[in-house]
Amino acid sequence: MHEGHDFESLKKRVLEYNANFDIAKLEKAYELARTAHEGQMRESGEPYLTHPLEVAYILADLELDCDTLVGALLHDVVEDTSYTVADINREFGESVGIIVDGVTKLSKIQYTTAEEQQVENLRKMFLAMAKDVRVILIKLADRLHNMRTIKAKSEKKQREKARETLEVYAALAHRLGMSKIKWELEDLSLKYIDPVAYKEITESINLKKQEREQFINDIMDSLKKKTDEMGINSHVMGRAKHFYSIYRKMFTQNKSIDELYDLFAVRIIVDSIKDCYAVLGMVHELYYPIPGRFKDYIAMPKPNMYQSLHTTVIGPDGTPFEIQIRTWEMHRVAEFGIAAHWKYKEGVSGKTDVDAKLEWIRQLLEIQNSVVDTDDFMRTLKIDLFTDEVFVFTPKGDIINLPAGSTPIDFAFSIHSAVGCKMAGVKVNGKITTLDYILQNGDIVDIMTSSAVRGPSRDWLKLCKTSGARSKINQWLKRECRDENIQHGKELIDRELRRVNLSHSQLFRTEWVDMLCKKYSFSSLDDIYAAVGYGGLTVNKVVGKLREEYRQAMKKEKPETEIVQSEQTPQKKKKTASNGVIVEGIEGCLVRFSRCCNPVPGDDIIGYITRGRGVSVHRKDCTNIVSSEKHGDTERLINVYWEKEQDKNTSYLSEIQIMANDRKGLLAEIASTISELKILITGMNLKTTKNQTAVVNIVIEINSTDELNQVVKKIRNISGVYDVQRKADGTKTKTAEQS
């Protein structure tokens, strides 16, 4: 547990690491925050002021400068009170104003979805981070205190925040080298994402705690004795692996906690790089090293500035364990990361010292500026932040660092766009290889180029791993293949329009197209087609947004049920006015299929004469029809029949309900089985009961009952499925008229 801190303890902490700290400015910020947040309470019931105070204290522990701590005390003032950024600039200077504005969320702007809001807030944060990286330091401290006190929120909110923390903020702390913050964020997230696993890990570790501590203490004593004999000044410490690190290893290696050997590590801190390598030699003489487990991050630092020697050795009783060797300066950077560059620098951002180290932020911004789709933004962000690294070499011996899983395409574009665009082939370790080859640590990669090459293929987008390569390929396709992209985009949109049974003229009204152009910063409809064509925007985003506008417009003209009917029932695709149904005694009659029972060719059907909307076709066993007959309401019933020759291109909606024993991968297997039959799924819903029974409702497009029976038969063969039924009625309605 972390005890609460008051303002006096904050002042005491900052003076411990900087006797010249501007206490008057800090006091002024505290007074403003106290006044601004007066009367506001947190969900836990504490005064709101406790939050900015704790955030400032977390940053004081990282020994940051005055402006950062002032920004921390004021970080929620603009968002939650009547104070503005202009007020902050006037009272505390532009530097603090930039920090506070960067941390402030875009809460006053209306967005279509919560995801869109989150993405725009992250974009703003990265832009501010590029100007002053202290923005993200406050954001990380803010999230850390929120995670420490998240118990006050609902379980759903806890899981959502924990997931976002893990995917974005812990990953950011990792990229900034701030392991102290990263590990706590990860462990706190795990506690709420998978509480059962968290409890299992903590209990298992405590169970053998004494035994492990004795083992590690013996190792530490031996190492300290040896370094003293060598005349090397050293500090030896034992370190238990963090819970999330253990959890990931259990998950990725499919092992129980008892099968993991490296639950702890020994760290040796020395005064110089020369001493690091001398100690490494001693360690390998003392213990047998495991081949392939040595990593030299001193010669090849990680992108987040981390440096150390790592080696895994066999202990005296045959137990493997990890040893890390580093200097004191490396240790400080490993713990504090980018924050280490502000230590003792009162009022100086230190940006010039870390320009090269923050190059990835600028690259990330450059890539994200070309991404217009929110899903793409989150996907590329997670790839850039969260993946492990692989180190490969150019033929001249230069080290290139790429995300694990990268291919020669990623390598080529990391060298230069021109190299990637003119790539004709690749040699890895002197041998010609394919472009889908996964690069391994230590590979020597030689890209062969040719002026005869027209440029990257669209297929390369499926092979590359990095967002940088994907962005550069998209830029080339966007620039060089505009006509082809427009044509391809039109085809994709037309295909989607046919699927949802709507026409181009219905959706692509001038005012709606203008709205789309403004939303995604395009100047014309052709730009939208081109973006869909080269993959910068998904067809679902375009058609989905236009359908939303169409539905809003149609609401004013006709009832909601008819709009849904016209959009969602593919059976309206027809060659004859009868929709493939003959109404007894009436020609050219308007025929509609009821949504309550979704009849398909092969079903016994009957018609119901509606008021002003023609004949509604139902299955004879439909609950609405049975209810009408029961109550004597038979005057409106009329005989209808399927045409003998049904249009094979006409499809009908049908809903099936699947009962199965709940298990991992069930939904994916059901979806895969249906897809193998080339059946389109238009809706899917899963509910799990208390007795671990999964109830899956799926809406599919079929041509006949024969096709439906084929689907049912295939699903019944899936492991764990014990019942598959066609749903008799999809909606609860009072009369057939209403359906």
Side-chain angles (χ1 to χ4, degrees), residues 15-59:
L15 289 171
E16 281 174 8
Y17 66 85
N18 187 352
N20 300 318
F21 201 95
D22 190 346
I23 294 294
K25 191 173 184 178
L26 195 68
E27 285 176 338
K28 185 180 176 183
Y30 173 72
E31 285 304 317
L32 191 148
R34 190 171 62 80
T35 305
H37 291 301
E38 193 169 0
Q40 292 181 353
M41 307 296 283
R42 303 192 82 212
E43 287 181 43
S44 60
E46 296 173 300
Y48 196 87
L49 187 62
T50 58
H51 173 62
L53 254 176
E54 289 300 327
V55 172
Y57 200 91
I58 290 167
L59 295 167

Side-chain angles (χ1 to χ4, degrees), residues 156-190:
K156 185 183 176 209
K157 256 306 189 223
Q158 286 173 356
R159 283 193 299 273
E160 284 175 4
K161 288 291 179 190
R163 178 64 62 194
E164 184 188 44
T165 299
L166 200 58
E167 292 179 345
V168 178
Y169 293 97
L172 265 171
H174 172 67
R175 281 304 299 263
L176 294 169
M178 301 169 69
S179 62
K180 194 174 179 183
I181 300 279
K182 174 205 170 188
W183 288 121
E184 192 177 347
L185 285 174
E186 287 183 338
D187 285 355
L188 286 168
S189 298
L190 176 62

Side-chain angles (χ1 to χ4, degrees), residues 333-344:
V333 172
E335 291 288 298
F336 294 166
I338 206 79
H341 293 268
W342 274 268
K343 199 173 183 183
Y344 308 121

Side-chain angles (χ1 to χ4, degrees), residues 413-440:
F413 280 99
S414 72
I415 301 295
H416 198 280
S417 296
V419 175
C421 289
K422 292 294 178 185
M423 181 166 62
V426 61
K427 286 182 181 178
V428 177
N429 303 324
K431 293 181 181 178
I432 292 176
T433 188
T434 56
L435 296 183
D436 60 355
Y437 170 79
I438 304 298
L439 297 174
Q440 306 297 315

Side-chain angles (χ1 to χ4, degrees), residues 570-576 578-583 591 593 599-603 605 617 640-652 702-707:
Q571 62 265 37
K572 290 280 181 151
K573 301 172 189 172
K574 56 187 180 179
K575 286 185 178 179
T576 68
S578 64
N579 268 349
V581 170
I582 299 166
V583 181
V591 171
F593 292 96
V600 299
D603 287 330
I605 53 175
V617 179
V640 292
Y641 313 97
W642 295 107
E643 283 184 335
K644 289 182 181 177
E645 295 295 326
Q646 287 290 324
D647 183 358
K648 290 181 181 178
N649 293 321
T650 303
S651 54
Y652 304 82
I702 52 172
N703 299 117
S704 65
T705 50
D706 289 341
E707 204 166 60

Side-chain angles (χ1 to χ4, degrees), residues 681-695:
I681 300 171
T682 62
M684 184 180 282
N685 181 42
L686 168 68
K687 287 182 183 176
T688 307
T689 62
K690 287 182 181 177
N691 63 355
Q692 293 302 300
T693 296
V695 182

Side-chain angles (χ1 to χ4, degrees), residues 452-502:
V453 174
R454 181 173 174 263
S457 159
R458 195 182 298 276
D459 293 334
W460 288 12
L461 291 168
K462 298 171 189 172
L463 301 178
C464 61
K465 171 80 173 178
T466 60
S467 53
R470 188 174 291 107
S471 173
K472 287 169 182 174
I473 293 167
N474 272 330
Q475 283 171 15
W476 189 92
L477 292 170
K478 181 180 177 181
R479 187 176 61 251
E480 303 293 332
C481 307
R482 182 170 168 80
D483 291 343
E484 182 187 322
N485 290 331
I486 290 171
Q487 185 59 37
H488 185 52
K490 279 181 180 176
E491 288 170 4
L492 290 173
I493 286 173
D494 286 346
R495 193 182 306 161
E496 179 66 9
L497 290 175
R498 285 195 298 274
R499 192 187 73 79
V500 298
N501 197 30
L502 287 167

